[in-house]
Every structure is written in structure tokens, then in C-alpha cells.
Amino acid sequence: DDSTAVAEVPMKILQTTMASVILATLLGSSIAVADPANFDFYGCMQSIPTTSGGSYKMVGFLTNNGVVPTPIPFNWVGEEHTVVIEATLNNISGFTENYSGATVKIYTDVGPATPGDYANQATFSDGTLVLSGVINNFVRINFPGNSSSYAGSVDWTGGTRLGEMGANTTGYGIGGSGNTGSGNIPSGYVDCWDGKIDQPIIAVDEASWGQVKRLFH
């Protein structure tokens, strides 16, 4: 019957099209996993605590500059975005400095009215507090020589733009590397680190092409 044959063709086209969409989605997810949106930053510290209870404070700038995607959109023309990280040294174990009470804050300064200036740390926190959060398991590993590394995870808890994060507010990875011997350390500071806060990767279930096709049987 020709009518039956004609009816089967669109159905096969529909199945093939939908399967192609799913495959494209899976491939697209793989691309997103490879390069998650992040807050890229560079900041410096005036001192590094050496005894329990000592204070740690980093001030710096977001350095995405509209090139690297951020978890929420930022205006990079006519606005400055600064970062402040504070913590208390809990203990030192070997080369590892363990911190507690660690927080991260991102500010936006329009204009900027008062550009961030390492000579005046207040200029890094006088804008609008757009995001704030806690850093869990924050550590600094101080390698022999001039290098160091940082690690921890961030849960966003406040700020005027927290709502734009949707449900994706926990489990961000924070890390980076420092160098006390860097020639880019501002006067009055002892260390700087180049870091980023990565959006958590959303897991994707792996499936074979046969499994995808069976969804439509």
C-alpha cells in the first residue's frame, strides 16, 4: 500500500532528526565540560600569616576582560570588577597552610568611580558587592623557593547578582599559582597569585549510538 509507505518516511525522518539533536546535545555538553565558564583573577597580598590565627587578605582584579566567559555576564567597558579574598590561618602542616573562615567577594565599580589601586586596598571593595561566598577547605601550598599553589571550593551565598546564578551556586573550584619572586609584585606586597574560580562541571551520562537509537524504538 503506497499510503503506508508514505507515512513511514516522515517517521523515519523524525526519528533520525531527533537522534541527531540528542547526539549534538551530547557533543555540545562535552565541549562545555572542556571549557567551563570561570572568574579569572589576579591579586596580591601584603603579608602571609605564619602563626595560627593570623589574617590573610588578597585584593585583585577579574581579568576575563570579556574574552573568557563568566558564569554571569559582566560589562567590561566602563566597569571594573575586583576580588577580595580573606581567611584566617588555622595551622601549617609541612608545606601546606590550612585556612578557616575563608570568604571571597566580587565587587563592581561603575566608571570606575575609584579605580582599584594597590596603594589603597579600600578601592577594591568600595563598589557594589555583586557576589559573595565562602571558600571551603582553602589551602595554600608553599613550595621550596618562590612558588606556591592554592586550592579550595566556593559556595556562593550573597551579593546583588546572586539570583542570576540560578541553582548553580555551590561546588565551584578555586585555585591558582603564586610566585613571591615575581617581578609584577606591587610595592608593599609580598606575593601575588594568578587564579580562577571555575563553574562546576555538569556530569553527562555516556551513551553508545545504539543506546541512543533504542530510545526511539
Side-chain angles (χ1 to χ4, degrees), residues 172-187:
Y172 282 65
I174 185 170
S177 59
N179 192 338
T180 56
S182 170
N184 297 322
I185 298 178
S187 176

Side-chain angles (χ1 to χ4, degrees), residues 91-128:
N91 62 71
I92 299 176
S93 178
F95 297 122
T96 303
E97 302 166 8
N98 298 288
Y99 289 88
S100 60
T103 61
V104 56
K105 298 177 180 179
I106 297 177
Y107 296 87
T108 293
D109 193 4
V110 179
T114 52
D117 183 357
Y118 284 111
N120 180 3
Q121 288 198 350
T123 58
F124 288 88
S125 56
D126 60 357
T128 300

Side-chain angles (χ1 to χ4, degrees), residues 119-204:
N120 180 3
Q121 288 198 350
T123 58
F124 288 88
S125 56
D126 60 357
T128 300
L129 179 60
V130 294
L131 283 176
S132 63
V134 296
I135 307 177
N136 306 299
N137 304 312
F138 187 46
V139 298
R140 175 178 183 265
I141 302 175
N142 187 25
F143 299 108
N146 296 323
S147 63
S148 60
S149 66
Y150 293 82
S153 65
V154 175
D155 293 339
W156 299 106
T157 57
T160 60
R161 300 187 63 181
L162 178 65
E164 296 179 45
M165 306 287 277
N168 191 21
T169 59
T170 62
Y172 282 65
I174 185 170
S177 59
N179 192 338
T180 56
S182 170
N184 297 322
I185 298 178
S187 176
Y189 289 74
V190 300
D191 193 13
C192 295
W193 62 295
D194 187 6
K196 64 177 182 174
I197 303 172
D198 276 321
Q199 180 172 277
I201 296 174
I202 299 174
V204 177

Side-chain angles (χ1 to χ4, degrees), residues 45-69:
M45 296 72 65
Q46 290 182 327
S47 63
I48 300 294
T50 57
T51 58
S52 297
S55 298
Y56 173 96
K57 183 176 183 179
M58 186 219 78
V59 294
F61 302 90
L62 284 189
T63 57
N64 300 71
N65 296 322
V67 178
V68 178

